[in-house]
Amino acid sequence: MVTEAYTVRRARSTDAAAIAAVHVTSWREAYAGRIPDEVLDGMDVAARAETWRRILAGEIDGEAGDVWVAELAGDVIGFASAGRCRDDDAVAGRRELYAVYVLEADYGTGASDMLMDAALGDDPASLWVLEDNPRARAFYRRHGFDPDGAVKTHTVDGAAIREVRLVRGGTLA
Amino acid sequence: MHPPLRQRCRTMTRWSMRVLLKLVIDCDPDAAWRALHSPRAVAELYGPMVSMSPVVPSGLPTRWEEGDDVPVSLESGPIPLGRQLIHVSHRHVDEPGGAVRIFRDSGIPLTGPLAFLDVWDHQMAVSPAPGDPTRTLWRDRLVFDGPGAALLWPVLWAIWQWRGARIRALASSWAHDPAADTTDTADDLDLATDPTEGAGGW
């Protein structure tokens, strides 16, 4: 049985606004109850679009990497980005997955897996994920990622946000 | 390091596995919609072939709410089927035959044999039965894919046939609205099966 045809391709500079819209919507869908509402409500699509425009143009030092978008019927429904690992204890040869998001309407369709495959292939990599995000952690586990014990905590609007690092492949520094 | 050229642009048309149910049941769409939101009623649909139990100490919620992420454990007798994260979302569609309410579980298998699947999309649509708005047209669609999907298809097909029979059998008991009876709690829901229901084919 055929289901929808998703396309994954490298992002273009003209995708900035579409990526920003998916970015904001997917955060609100994925992080409701996990990140303070004030933060999610305060996300601004136009500001995100400008940030993405600069990322795609290579204007933000250290953030430039591979950015991919997933489309369904010509509409961007997800994105992924990866690049050099930004951690102080980065392991040589191990890349970092900065983000992979799809809209809730496209959960469970395999679009996220296509984005992961495009952004990382089978490369050794690391990523940071909310500690309390069982869906994302199960997704990454399926792609071979396991916790390495590293944890970092942010305080956002008075709420502590804990992230754990997941790694796949590579060797220890 | 960059992804190889073959990954630069990929179009994928997935030939995913599907299991479909379409049946008319003996309750109105409001009752069917209410049952879809009751973890206890949903658990009854799979029992006793498959049992669903809570993973967290607080137990199952009394009602699935949109946006919920609820981990549950599934077992078939002594055989663990793994843990599943249930993620609930709603959609409403106007069709020529009337309003259709769609309950979608796009959760993700956390452990067990289903965790190898990278596609899992279960949608249940309820709408007035054609010509009889006191009954419900129930359409149930499971789409799945990934490593081992072909091996899982007969298992899931069998479970879904059982599920269809249970939906027909239990539907008349869903007509009772616990919210209208202030003395009831979620644990008091009477979901007993009437074996005379569900005898018809579909």
Side-chain angles (χ1 to χ4, degrees):
Chain A
M1 293 283 187
V2 170
T3 57
E4 293 83 1
Y6 289 90
T7 301
V8 170
R9 61 167 173 80
R10 193 178 288 278
R12 300 185 281 261
S13 58
T14 52
D15 292 320
I19 294 173
V22 170
H23 194 164
V24 171
T25 302
S26 60
W27 265 57
R28 289 174 177 162
E29 292 172 340
Y31 297 142
R34 296 189 170 95
I35 287 180
D37 289 346
E38 293 76 14
V39 175
L40 299 177
D41 293 343
M43 293 180 74
D44 180 70
V45 174
R48 291 277 167 177
E50 173 58 16
T51 302
W52 276 108
R53 186 198 66 73
R54 296 181 62 202
I55 290 172
L56 293 171
E59 296 176 4
I60 299 181
D61 186 38
E63 296 288 338
D66 293 317
V67 183
W68 301 80
V69 294
E71 292 182 311
L72 178 63
D75 293 327
V76 173
I77 57 88
F79 69 94
S81 66
R84 68 171 182 81
C85 183
R86 300 168 294 187
D87 296 338
D88 292 340
D89 58 350
V91 172
R94 185 187 279 165
R95 304 175 69 215
E96 180 177 351
L97 180 73
Y98 302 149
V100 57
Y101 292 98
V102 299
L103 298 176
E104 184 183 55
D106 299 284
Y107 284 1
T109 62
S112 305
D113 301 85
M114 293 177 64
L115 284 165
M116 280 286 287
D117 290 343
L120 291 179
D122 296 324
D123 292 348
S126 66
L127 60 91
W128 290 92
V129 62
L130 285 185
E131 186 175 47
D132 174 27
N133 191 344
R135 178 187 190 88
R137 295 186 66 168
F139 171 77
Y140 293 130
R141 190 181 311 120
R142 195 167 70 220
H143 284 272
F145 287 88
D146 291 304
D148 73 347
V151 176
K152 61 183 178 185
T153 302
H154 313 277
T155 300
V156 180
D157 273 17
I161 306 294
R162 276 173 64 89
E163 289 184 298
V164 296
R165 186 167 63 190
L166 309 182
V167 299
R168 176 179 82 181
T171 55
L172 296 175
Chain B
M1 296 178 65
H2 293 284
L5 186 60
R6 63 179 172 78
Q7 295 174 354
R8 297 284 166 91
C9 182
R10 299 177 60 193
T11 299
M12 184 170 69
T13 301
R14 300 199 71 127
W15 293 79
S16 301
M17 305 279 174
R18 290 188 181 201
V19 181
L20 305 173
L21 296 176
K22 183 177 181 180
L23 53 161
V24 173
I25 58 174
D26 292 330
C27 66
D28 63 55
D30 286 342
W33 188 245
R34 195 165 54 242
L36 273 172
H37 290 77
S38 163
R40 182 168 176 147
V42 170
E44 290 279 334
L45 296 183
Y46 296 101
M49 181 181 284
V50 174
S51 61
M52 181 174 75
S53 56
V55 170
V56 293
S58 56
L60 293 174
T62 55
R63 178 181 159 83
W64 305 122
E65 300 289 352
E66 185 160 29
D68 273 355
D69 277 327
V70 181
V72 299
S73 180
L74 302 174
E75 296 90 25
S76 180
I79 304 170
L81 299 179
R83 291 182 174 184
Q84 178 92 8
L85 186 76
I86 293 177
H87 179 85
V88 176
S89 60
H90 296 156
R91 193 156 54 94
H92 296 254
V93 178
D94 287 321
E95 290 186 350
V100 180
R101 285 173 278 185
I102 301 171
F103 181 102
R104 181 172 183 233
D105 170 21
S106 53
I108 187 169
L110 299 174
T111 63
L114 298 181
F116 293 102
L117 300 175
D118 54 22
V119 174
W120 182 271
D121 187 6
H122 183 199
Q123 299 192 34
M124 292 140 277
V126 298
S127 56
D132 185 357
T134 66
R135 304 178 78 206
T136 297
L137 174 63
W138 178 297
R139 286 170 286 181
D140 202 301
R141 188 188 75 171
L142 173 67
V143 179
F144 61 99
D145 199 5
L151 294 174
L152 286 168
W153 189 85
V155 177
L156 291 169
W157 182 89
I159 291 173
W160 252 246
Q161 303 318 301
W162 175 258
R163 175 183 162 84
R166 296 284 285 176
I167 291 168
R168 293 183 68 107
L170 293 167
S172 61
S173 69
W174 295 340
H176 171 65
D177 180 2
D181 183 349
T182 56
T183 64
D184 275 351
T185 67
D187 289 338
D188 295 328
L189 290 176
D190 179 8
L191 296 166
T193 302
D194 179 346
T196 64
E197 299 291 336
W202 41 272

